Amino acid sequence: MSHVVMEVDPALWFLLAPRRRGPRFEVAVPATDTVGHVVRMVGIPPTEVGPLSLDGRPVGLSARPTAAGGTDAGAGVPGHVPVLAVGPRARPQPTRRSPPRFLLDVHLRPLARRLRLLGIDAAWEPDAGDAHLVERAAAEERVLLTQDRGLLHRGALPEGALVRGNRADEQLADVLDRFAPPLAPWTRCPRCNAGLVGARLEEVADRLRPGTLGAYREFSRCTGCGQVYWRGAHARRLDAIVAGARRASGGPGRG
């Protein structure tokens, strides 16, 4: 068993055990372990890892920090303990697909609805298990959003992110800051994620209550589930969500 000194950026300390939340700490590492194994071992999902360096030189997750003849002159010298520096992901974070598409786990339904309100492609399924989420994220090139750290440790997951915040508005702010997706409010169905199109009153009249028929004249219809939308009692609250997202994005929209 060899040893590695870890220097973890303070932005990632919340992922570490309390005893390790400091400028540096030492861990015992099997000689066959990679950098990826080491960061997972201390509790950091690979999706949250940004720049990595070993004894001051950039490395990837597949590097072996204790390999003989390592990355600097100290490697292989008796008594030398390599230093692994771990940084956070840069923000905004690029994704394989642009604009990014997201898949949210079962616990993030309120966040999914807010993302859809902003016109962001956000898939969500009420009964999706972990294996299915990873498989769908890979097949559809979606970034998996979750607060389950264990899910983000799965090797088959191409892209994911640990969502921060306890409330939906905090979570939305975190996702917008991390990925800077382009905004297109009122273009996607909050219920099913399909696109919205304008609808004439006569096209949707049979789905509306008499009070709605008499009070509103502008409607949208979902091209997927058929849900009809209009500016009703919740319009002011939804307008506030959209306005806050636009302010956070620096303008009417991105892209």
Side-chain angles (χ1 to χ4, degrees):
M1 189 76 72
S2 301
H3 289 80
V4 172
V5 170
M6 298 194 68
E7 295 180 346
V8 178
D9 189 281
L12 298 174
W13 284 4
F14 76 101
L15 295 168
L16 302 173
R19 72 181 187 278
R20 289 174 169 166
R21 294 173 186 171
R24 56 167 47 198
F25 58 90
E26 189 168 315
V27 294
V29 178
T32 57
D33 274 9
T34 65
V35 169
H37 289 129
V38 176
V39 297
R40 285 185 174 93
M41 178 182 67
V42 300
I44 306 174
T47 59
E48 309 309 298
V49 173
L52 292 162
S53 66
L54 188 61
D55 287 325
R57 297 189 180 185
V59 293
L61 290 170
S62 61
R64 287 172 55 196
T66 61
T71 60
D72 84 332
V77 175
H80 172 72
V81 179
V83 177
L84 176 62
V86 184
R89 288 281 182 137
R91 295 191 177 211
Q93 177 181 327
T95 55
R96 297 185 182 187
R97 187 184 184 97
S98 183
R101 302 197 300 180
F102 299 103
L103 174 62
L104 289 78
D105 75 13
V106 295
H107 304 291
L108 295 178
R109 184 185 184 189
L111 174 60
R113 293 180 67 89
R114 281 167 171 77
L115 290 171
R116 293 167 178 177
L117 175 66
L118 299 173
I120 299 168
D121 190 341
W124 177 87
E125 298 179 52
D127 302 313
D130 289 356
H132 173 75
L133 288 170
V134 172
E135 182 179 352
R136 182 175 179 185
E140 299 181 7
E141 296 185 314
R142 293 182 180 273
V143 180
L144 179 57
L145 302 180
T146 182
Q147 293 191 316
D148 180 353
R149 300 183 194 181
L151 184 53
L152 296 176
H153 282 285
R154 294 199 170 212
L157 179 66
E159 290 185 289
L162 184 69
V163 178
R164 307 183 193 186
N166 295 319
R167 303 192 310 271
D169 56 346
E170 297 171 340
Q171 296 164 359
L172 177 61
D174 180 55
V175 173
L176 295 180
D177 177 67
R178 179 162 178 171
F179 294 101
L183 308 183
W186 318 110
T187 61
R188 196 174 287 276
C189 177
R191 171 190 278 185
C192 77
N193 199 42
L196 298 179
V197 294
R200 298 190 302 274
L201 176 60
E202 56 268 26
E203 294 176 321
V204 297
D206 60 337
R207 306 182 193 181
L208 305 176
R209 295 179 179 179
T212 303
L213 282 170
Y216 302 97
R217 288 292 179 269
E218 294 184 1
F219 302 92
S220 295
R221 177 179 55 80
C222 175
T223 58
C225 66
Q227 177 72 27
V228 178
Y229 295 94
W230 61 91
R231 290 187 59 79
H234 301 296
R236 183 171 297 180
R237 180 177 63 85
L238 299 179
D239 284 341
I241 294 174
V242 171
R246 281 175 164 161
R247 286 193 299 272
S249 299
R254 293 183 189 261

